[in-house]
Amino acid sequence: MKRFTALAVASAALLLLVAAGPRVRGLLWVSSEVAALALAIALPLGGLLAFLLVKTDVWGRVTAGWLLASMLFMPLYLQAAGWEAACGQLGWWTQAVAAGGPARPLFAGVLGAGLVHGLAATPWVALIAGAALRCIDREEEEAALLDASPPAVLLRVTSRHAAAGLAVGALWVAVTVSAEMTVTDLLQVRTFAEEVYTQAVIGAFDPRSDVPASLGPRGLAAGISLIALLGAAAIGGVRPWVVKGMAMTGAGWRWRMRSRVTRSTAAVLLWASVGLLLAAPVASLATQAGVTVERVGDSWRRGWSAPKLVSAVVTSPWIHREDVATSAGLGVMVATGAVAVGLGWAWRMSCSRRPPLVSLAGLAICLVMPGPLLGVACIGLMNHPWDSPFAPLTWLYDHTLAAPWLVQMVRATPIATLVLWPALASVPNSLLDAAKAEGAGPLRRLLMVAAPMRLRALAAAWVAALAVSVGELSATKLVLPPGWTTVAERVFTLLHYGVEDRVAGLSLAMIGFFLACAAVAAAVLRAGTSSGPSRR
């Protein structure tokens, strides 16, 4: 059955490529180049992290796992800001290597886009591969230990099961790279998502505009359908591991490393990887935020000051307080709405043995639809002439945050749904059957039985949706009414002029916010992981 599904997905993808036309195929080819570079980084590094975190007792794995999970909350433009501060045209690494000569930044072109996407995608690969590793039957590995050493078991038995997780992780990386335009816009790389963004900005998708569109309706639909198809396949592939993992009552087998040298080597590998992914960009931003310039005689001298760094980070939220207030208010409304809708969506999906294909496709489309196209769709829905019967929507579009709320709901609701889906699927079937025997319908069973048992998952979903709302950029920037600016738009706009101290300070403050969101979500989920047998 799995082979048939994979064959069907591959056949449908091939047909969509044929239908897309040469223009879209060329853009998707550039997207695939960026994705290939990203996979060359994310697969080996993510696979190594998954093994160390799930299948060994390496020192500090819990803290390292939380730090990796926190990177899932961070928008790509913040990670791009960190690497721009290090490897961009004016980055400290670029200038140090140049040594007064011509600068050759690594953060440029397809290579730079692949580098940032690969490092940003590594936690996703580690998460997906780790979910697959955690679901390996403990008995199979322990039986293999009777005839082989722990490293041999990891190589012969565990790695075979990890291959499926890495394959799904590779599929998800390809999807996210193809649908993301933040880095490609900064580096002027013409991918499919970047072309959609450019066409949306110049108004080519507006039926009333005279600007010709380079992407025809057929090619645009085929490209988006292809990305959504791959996204649905990735979500469908990872779902059984997540549900099974939440239903497991005990930990799987781990390699208990007896040798101090082995444990030290594993710890060095783990923390060097975490340092590369998170500490390096944060340190680069801190370097830029603390830069000082003073006049000495007839010249200017650059230096670095810790008080300047602290001041840049602490004062940036106050300096941009109007943007912070807009993002905070919008985020609370989006998170509340996303949890309400996601609860019903996740409940429907958890009540069937096989997730409905329509629901999976809906999740995938919402997650991978290029943001500018989503913004254009929202404009078409809410912006009408004054004599139209839908003119009141135009007032909402021009004077309220209704349009940003709508596009961010499309982005945040799937995240809330994916958090709640395995949590609701792990509610013991016996309790639901008892409630049904007492005459409770599906809605009452959800509100009176399932939801109260998973309040911590609801809280985690709310925090995740809040983080998505605050970080969303590509759709929101097209529909913000005049006079309103979010923190995300402010940072992205300033990034086009380089990473100076003000941008670095604001970026560090935002990174702190997303780390806090990850910490809260992890804390509430960890406190509520005791669940009964899964219904699946």
Side-chain angles (χ1 to χ4, degrees):
M1 184 63 184
K2 292 182 179 180
R3 291 182 179 178
F4 174 78
T5 303
L7 181 61
V9 171
S11 301
L14 183 60
L15 290 175
L16 288 171
L17 275 176
V18 172
R23 172 63 176 167
V24 174
R25 282 198 298 271
L27 293 170
L28 289 174
W29 175 256
V30 179
S31 298
S32 68
E33 291 180 340
V34 178
L37 290 171
L39 289 172
I41 298 172
L43 285 183
L45 191 55
L48 172 65
L49 288 170
F51 271 110
L52 292 174
L53 292 174
V54 179
K55 286 301 176 182
T56 71
D57 60 345
V58 63
W59 292 319
R61 59 185 179 82
V62 175
T63 303
W66 169 74
L67 290 173
L68 286 175
S70 68
M71 290 192 65
L72 304 179
F73 286 74
M74 293 184 194
L76 193 58
Y77 57 83
L78 287 181
Q79 300 182 49
W83 291 108
E84 169 72 18
C87 306
Q89 184 70 31
L90 300 177
W92 62 267
W93 171 263
T94 304
Q95 296 300 315
V97 172
R104 295 181 176 87
L106 289 175
F107 188 71
V110 173
L111 178 62
L115 170 68
V116 176
H117 272 292
L119 294 173
T122 297
W124 283 106
V125 175
L127 173 69
I128 296 173
L133 290 174
R134 191 171 185 270
C135 294
I136 300 175
D137 290 334
R138 185 186 182 103
E139 292 78 8
E140 181 180 356
E141 291 176 310
E142 290 180 341
L145 283 172
L146 299 176
D147 302 318
S149 64
V153 172
L154 288 174
L155 183 62
R156 299 173 187 174
V157 179
T158 309
S159 61
R160 187 173 67 250
H161 292 275
L166 290 176
V168 175
L171 194 61
W172 183 249
V173 172
V175 169
T176 55
V177 170
S178 300
E180 176 59 51
M181 47 65 61
T182 304
V183 177
T184 54
D185 181 69
L186 287 173
L187 301 181
Q188 298 299 300
V189 177
R190 187 65 66 182
T191 61
F192 176 74
E194 170 63 16
E195 181 70 9
V196 171
Y197 171 71
T198 302
Q199 294 293 300
V201 169
I202 65 177
F205 296 138
D206 188 349
R208 296 165 292 185
S209 174
D210 296 331
V211 179
S214 63
L215 299 176
R218 186 186 69 178
L220 185 62
I224 294 174
S225 299
L226 175 60
I227 298 174
L229 173 68
L230 299 181
I235 293 174
V238 78
R239 181 257 183 185
W241 301 324
V242 177
V243 173
K244 183 177 179 181
M246 288 198 65
M248 292 175 63
T249 55
W253 172 78
R254 294 182 186 275
W255 177 21
R256 308 294 178 183
M257 293 177 286
R258 306 299 182 187
S259 169
R260 188 178 184 87
V261 174
T262 304
R263 289 175 65 88
S264 300
T265 302
V268 169
L269 288 173
L270 174 64
W271 285 102
S273 300
V274 173
L276 174 65
L277 296 174
L278 183 59
V282 169
S284 298
L285 288 171
T287 300
Q288 293 295 98
V291 166
T292 59
V293 179
E294 59 180 349
R295 190 176 184 88
V296 178
D298 295 333
S299 62
W300 295 92
R301 178 180 298 174
R302 289 172 60 90
W304 189 87
S305 168
K308 170 70 182 305
L309 165 64
V310 174
S311 175
V313 175
V314 172
T315 60
S316 60
W318 175 253
I319 294 174
H320 301 281
R321 55 190 177 277
E322 294 183 359
D323 306 334
V324 171
T326 300
S327 294
L330 188 57
V332 170
M333 293 187 294
V334 169
T336 304
V339 168
V341 177
L343 182 63
W345 198 345
W347 176 248
R348 178 177 177 81
M349 297 178 72
S350 68
C351 287
S352 60
R353 290 188 175 275
R354 293 181 180 178
L357 294 179
V358 174
S359 296
L360 272 181
L363 283 174
I365 290 173
C366 292
L367 285 171
V368 305
M369 178 182 291
L373 193 63
L374 180 60
V376 169
C378 181
I379 293 172
L381 177 66
M382 300 190 66
N383 191 19
H384 301 275
W386 66 270
D387 56 348
S388 168
F390 301 104
L393 292 177
T394 305
W395 186 90
L396 292 175
Y397 173 75
D398 289 334
H399 298 89
T400 70
L401 293 175
W405 177 85
L406 183 59
V407 297
Q408 290 188 9
M409 278 287 293
V410 175
R411 282 289 192 250
T413 299
I415 301 299
T417 303
L418 291 174
V419 173
L420 294 171
W421 181 11
L424 295 178
S426 65
V427 174
N429 205 26
S430 57
L431 296 179
L432 297 176
D433 289 341
K436 185 177 181 179
E438 294 293 330
L443 181 60
R444 192 172 180 184
R445 292 199 298 272
L446 169 63
L447 298 180
M448 303 301 293
V449 180
M453 293 183 63
R454 295 294 179 261
L455 290 178
R456 295 185 182 277
L458 286 169
W462 193 91
V463 173
L466 175 66
V468 170
S469 172
V470 172
E472 210 290 320
L473 172 68
S474 56
T476 304
K477 72 191 304 292
L478 291 177
V479 297
L480 275 172
W484 301 80
T485 305
T486 63
V487 179
E489 183 179 4
R490 180 71 64 188
V491 171
F492 188 69
T493 300
L494 294 175
L495 280 179
H496 285 82
Y497 302 98
V499 181
E500 39 85 25
D501 55 351
R502 183 175 58 152
V503 183
L506 184 57
S507 298
L508 288 172
M510 289 190 70
I511 289 175
F513 167 77
F514 289 113
L515 286 174
C517 287
V520 172
V524 296
L525 284 177
R526 189 183 303 115
T529 50
S530 57
S531 60
S534 173
R535 292 181 285 128
R536 304 291 162 255

